[in-house]
Amino acid sequence: MMVLFTSCLCLWLGAWVSTASGLDFRYHNSVEVEQYLKAVNRNYSSLTYLHSIGKSVEGRDLWVLVLGKHPTEHKIGIPEFKYVGNMHGNEVVGRVMLLHLIELLTQGYGADPLVTHILNSTRVHILPSMNPDGFEASTRDCMFSEGRFNKHGVDLNRNFPDAFDWEEGEAREAEVRAVMDWLSSEPFVLSANLHGGAVVASYPYDNSNGGEEFKKGSSVAPDDDVFVHLAKTYSFSHAQMRKDNCDEARNFKDGITNGFYWYPLAGGMQDYNYVWAQCLEITLELSCCKYPPESDLPGLWEANKPALLAYMQQVHLGVKGQVLDSTGAPVQNALVEVKGRRNICPFRTDRNGEYYRLLLPGNYTFTVTVPGQEPERRNLSVPYGPERFSALTQNFVLERGSGGGAVPDPDAAEPTESCTALLQYQADGHAAALLRPRLLPLLALALCGLLL
Ligand SMILES: *[C@@H]1O[C@H](CO)[C@@H](O)[C@H](O)[C@H]1NC(C)=O
Ligand SMILES: *[C@@H]1O[C@H](CO)[C@@H](O)[C@H](O)[C@H]1NC(C)=O
Ligand SMILES: *[C@@H]1O[C@H](CO)[C@@H](O)[C@H](O)[C@H]1NC(C)=O
Ligand SMILES: *[C@@H]1O[C@H](CO)[C@@H](O)[C@H](O)[C@H]1NC(C)=O
Ligand SMILES: [Zn+2]
């Protein structure tokens, strides 16, 4: 009797404590989100770092909370991961999920083994809202709202430079410029961008110009096997995604789709991340209703929680390491290519001489190239990194130093709007895909009424 009473009391107390100190399941406006992030940062000052990556058109800060054992700076061998929510201001579930994820990560560190492993091995960046102006302009409607766009009426997921459809001098919105600068300030490896209006994980490419990537209605990236695995990791870890269809007529096998196959779009964020910033990004559609009633939020959180964690763990796929010269100094801008993967912009080492290549388990031939030297080739047998919270570490030490060739331009490791400057010292003549004429995408886009 006594035992029963005590356990009831504990349950009751537990519930009381979690609602009193916890984040409630409702929609928080931009001021409340800022207050929440500042409170988290105060309470967990050694585990978190809060900064603004820029301002929206109406002057709202784009707050990013960074979490990890070393939140303020990059450490060699610790990959950078990010989640971006609410790019379409009226697609609000991702924004709520990311605030709850922040609560889970901070409260779980040191208590929950999975959370502790993730934050010890990864630096996690969370931007709960990329479009706070759009959020504030939104009405609680499932499908139609002004708030999709930013204050200038621009769809931010059409405003990035596009590898297949690129023009000099295109105008960029403030929110897009902030994200582009952010991408050049951190060597991000893996990312997801959270949307609503469907329940599916969509992966690059979103666009095509009818070149070698265009296959049977899909636009297939060189790392397609990795993207399919990443998308399935989310859909199979999610409570319903692999079987849920909002629209009976549309059936996403396994809860995933190639972006272009679903509907083509130019200027999207996931293609930009992948092609220009070496960061593999997928797009997660989390709810049929873009702005569901608050009573749906606890169930949405339970459905997404394991998937959000499992996806983060995938940052440890493949191989990572540094390219060093004979004196042990890091070599920036070395090309790190994997045989059979003709990336539009080849992957390069960053300012620390580091590279990360997400790959499924298997055997791969790596080629490291610097100007004025013979390419260095190595065969690697790659295990499944996520279960050990580390990719395979493989450094390349170049016998003759960084060589008598051209000194790499220090700015060239930044994501830019062109990677043509790199082609001159490329190993196998990859990548000339960029400068082909544009063909299909815009017509298809015009015919397609879908807006997700
Ligand atoms: C921060 O700590 C205070 C004092 O313990 C607590 O009342 C508050 O709920 C905490 N807030 C967050 C967001 O962790
Ligand atoms: C995480 O890192 C902390 C601090 O270095 C260490 O004490 C702890 O054992 C680590 N835990 C795990 C699960 O890696
Ligand atoms: C990879 O190579 C190793 C030998 O280095 C071999 O034992 C293994 O079977 C190979 N794996 C695959 C998937 O080809
Ligand atoms: C890598 O493996 C391939 C196929 O087994 C072989 O032909 C090649 O010589 C190997 N390359 C190196 C650098 O070991
Ligand atoms: Zn969207």
Side-chain angles (χ1 to χ4, degrees), residues 305-319:
K305 179 165 65 178
L308 288 165
L309 293 172
Y311 186 75
M312 282 195 269
Q313 213 176 328
Q314 297 302 317
V315 76
H316 299 298
L317 284 173
V319 188

Side-chain angles (χ1 to χ4, degrees), residues 288-311:
C288 303
C289 177
K290 294 181 180 185
Y291 208 144
E294 286 174 336
S295 57
D296 288 358
L297 296 176
L300 284 162
W301 169 238
E302 288 308 317
N304 283 285
K305 179 165 65 178
L308 288 165
L309 293 172
Y311 186 75

Side-chain angles (χ1 to χ4, degrees), residues 69 109 113 116-117 120:
K69 203 155 126 178
Y109 186 70
T116 310
H117 276 297
N120 273 6

